[in-house]
Amino acid sequence: LSERMNMRTLKFRAWDKRDSTMRDVESINFSARVADLRMNPGIHDIVFPEQCEVMQSTGMNDKNGMEIFEGDILHSETDVNYPVSWSTTQVSFVANKGMYHIVEWNNYAIVGNIYENPELLK
């Protein structure tokens, strides 16, 4: 059974609201409601939900091989930028603007994220 299961490791990153910096998430303790953010190699900081925005990896890569996370902004060849988010109605990650939904993620390039580059969505 384990050979047939395609299990992937869940990966997260977080926008640290305290200093407006994107951080890698080392671990999340859901019962204690805290996240362990990597500040620098070997330096960690425990933060509470109100101090950060946690984003999950989609498990997919863009056309340059970069891992796509929630909050990333993808750029199309038609010069349109799409924010990546979780859709509860579709029960999947989506990158959309209006009614258009991306299907082939590897045809797009990450150009920024909604926290560091909100102007890319205007």
Side-chain angles (χ1 to χ4, degrees):
L1 179 65
S2 63
E3 292 176 19
R4 295 186 312 206
M5 295 178 67
N6 183 13
M7 297 189 66
R8 65 182 178 96
T9 302
L10 296 179
K11 290 177 68 177
F12 297 91
R13 70 178 185 193
W15 178 249
D16 190 336
K17 294 177 184 179
R18 300 168 305 170
D19 62 0
S20 299
T21 304
M22 195 66 72
R23 307 268 185 215
D24 291 326
V25 174
E26 290 294 316
S27 64
I28 299 174
N29 184 327
F30 290 100
S31 60
R33 297 185 44 83
V34 297
D36 179 5
L37 304 185
R38 182 170 45 221
M39 307 298 279
N40 290 306
I43 301 174
H44 301 265
D45 192 17
I46 303 298
V47 296
F48 297 97
E50 61 274 5
Q51 297 172 311
C52 67
E53 293 291 335
V54 176
M55 296 157 273
Q56 184 176 346
S57 168
T58 64
M60 294 171 272
N61 294 332
D62 74 354
K63 69 180 185 180
N64 298 314
M66 299 294 296
E67 187 171 12
I68 302 170
F69 282 82
E70 286 180 273
D72 279 339
I73 299 171
L74 302 181
H75 184 75
S76 74
E77 294 174 358
T78 59
D79 286 331
V80 178
N81 293 333
Y82 300 93
V84 176
S85 62
W86 175 258
S87 169
T88 54
T89 57
Q90 295 182 6
V91 192
S92 66
F93 289 102
V94 296
N96 63 32
K97 197 166 198 171
M99 296 302 291
Y100 182 78
H101 296 275
I102 290 176
V103 176
E104 296 184 25
W105 297 76
N106 60 350
N107 289 335
Y108 298 83
I110 297 170
V111 292
N113 64 68
I114 61 173
Y115 299 101
E116 295 172 303
N117 315 100
E119 72 280 359
L120 294 176
L121 295 175
K122 293 181 181 174

